[in-house]
């Protein structure tokens, strides 16, 4: 990898996104809107919002970053932009890292907006530090970015990219422990949930929700989510094709 080429790629992607306000709005505002709606759906039961709001603070950014990143990257590939870039002395790792850096910058802003809204405007009560909550939200958004970059290599159209969401995101959403504790699930499903990164994202959020201090479980969960993001980015670089079919 070359730091200059990676930074140049990230700068180019951010410059292009600046001219796509709909994508920026989807990435930055949709998680906030969803949290806002959720808060007032449970207006008569604030305890319910407190119990699941922290988990969804990590899940919403993951889903939106996955969707936008996969479609934006696929659009670049089908338009021939990626093929022209890879014809230059640009390593696939530089390209993937550049895209991850660009979308990761937006993920930082997205996570900060969603966390600030939940804590200071929607009165989400957490026992632990708001910075720990923000860290997991950011790692979740970066994981969504990595997953979006990875699956875009296997889609030939934007419609196919969207079709990956039920295959990649929905099983994790059902098995992450949001709807039922993972240890009460059927043993096979519990075993599957133990290898899905979203499960550890939810566990990390719940640690902040319940504990005042930094816990070993929180550190483990954050490291697993971060490690999964790095692993998926590496797989994305390995599977990126130099020629568009």
């Amino acid at each position: 990898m070359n730091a200059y080429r990676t930074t140049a790629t990230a700068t180019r992607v951010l410059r292009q996104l600046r001219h796509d306000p709909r994508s920026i709005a989807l990435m930055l505002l949709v998680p906030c809107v969803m949290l806002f709606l959720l808060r007032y759906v449970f207006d008569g039961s604030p305890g319910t919002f407190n119990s699941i709001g922290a988990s969804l603070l990590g899940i919403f950014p993951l889903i939106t970053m996955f969707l936008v990143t996969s479609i934006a990257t696929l659009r670049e590939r089908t338009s021939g932009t990626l093929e022209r870039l890879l014809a230059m002395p640009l390593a696939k790792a530089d390209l993937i890292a550049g895209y991850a850096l660009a979308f990761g910058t937006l993920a930082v802003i997205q996570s900060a907006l969603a966390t600030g809204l939940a804590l200071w405007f929607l009165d989400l009560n957490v026992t632990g530090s708001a910075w720990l909550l923000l860290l997991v939200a950011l790692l979740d958004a970066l994981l969504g970015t990595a997953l979006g970059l990875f699956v875009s290599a296997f889609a030939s159209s934007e419609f196919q990219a969207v079709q990956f969401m039920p295959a990649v995101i929905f099983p994790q959403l059902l098995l992450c422990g949001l709807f039922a504790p993972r240890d009460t699930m059927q043993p096979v499903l519990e075993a599957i949930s133990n290898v899905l990164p979203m499960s550890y994202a939810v566990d990390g959020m719940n640690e902040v929700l319940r504990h005042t201090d930094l816990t070993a479980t929180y550190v483990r969960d954050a490291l697993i989510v971060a490690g999964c993001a790095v692993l998926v980015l590496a797989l994305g670089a390995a599977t990126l094709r130099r020629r568009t079919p």
Side-chain angles (χ1 to χ4, degrees), residues 1 9 12-13 69-70 72-78 80-100 145-155 231-245:
M1 288 180 59
T9 300
R12 182 189 64 81
V13 174
T69 305
S70 59
T73 308
L74 179 65
R75 189 180 302 165
E76 292 249 289
R77 183 159 62 82
T78 54
T81 302
L82 289 184
E83 191 170 321
R84 290 192 296 270
L85 288 172
L86 290 173
M88 302 168 61
L90 182 69
K92 290 193 276 187
D94 291 325
L95 188 65
I96 290 294
Y99 274 83
T145 298
L147 289 171
L149 289 170
F150 176 62
V151 303
S152 67
F154 302 98
L231 176 61
V232 173
L233 284 176
L235 291 174
T239 56
L240 184 65
R241 291 169 287 185
R242 286 190 173 272
R243 289 188 176 273
T244 301

Side-chain angles (χ1 to χ4, degrees), residues 95-146:
L95 188 65
I96 290 294
Y99 274 83
L101 180 60
F103 285 106
T105 302
L106 293 173
V108 171
I109 302 173
Q110 179 199 70
S111 301
L113 288 174
T115 303
L117 175 70
L119 293 178
W120 294 305
F121 290 94
L122 301 182
D123 298 323
L124 177 66
N125 296 318
V126 295
T127 304
S129 168
W131 292 105
L132 296 179
L133 201 68
L134 175 60
L135 176 60
V136 179
L138 174 59
L139 290 175
D140 289 344
L142 293 175
L143 176 62
T145 298

Side-chain angles (χ1 to χ4, degrees), residues 211-230:
H211 301 280
T212 57
D213 299 321
L214 180 68
T215 65
T217 302
Y218 174 89
V219 174
R220 180 207 65 184
D221 294 336
L223 289 175
I224 289 175
V225 175
C228 287
V230 173

Side-chain angles (χ1 to χ4, degrees), residues 23-84:
S23 294
I24 294 177
L26 180 62
M27 283 185 282
L28 300 185
L29 300 181
V30 166
C32 295
V33 172
M34 296 300 290
L35 285 169
F36 184 84
L37 291 175
L38 185 72
R39 167 64 180 84
Y40 290 102
V41 164
F42 295 110
D43 191 41
S45 179
T48 303
F49 177 72
N50 284 327
S51 64
I52 67 173
S55 299
L56 291 175
L57 183 58
I59 292 173
F60 287 157
L62 189 155
I63 293 174
T64 56
M65 291 304 295
F66 171 86
L67 183 61
V68 173
T69 305
S70 59
I71 292 177
T73 308
L74 179 65
R75 189 180 302 165
E76 292 249 289
R77 183 159 62 82
T78 54
S79 66
T81 302
L82 289 184
E83 191 170 321
R84 290 192 296 270

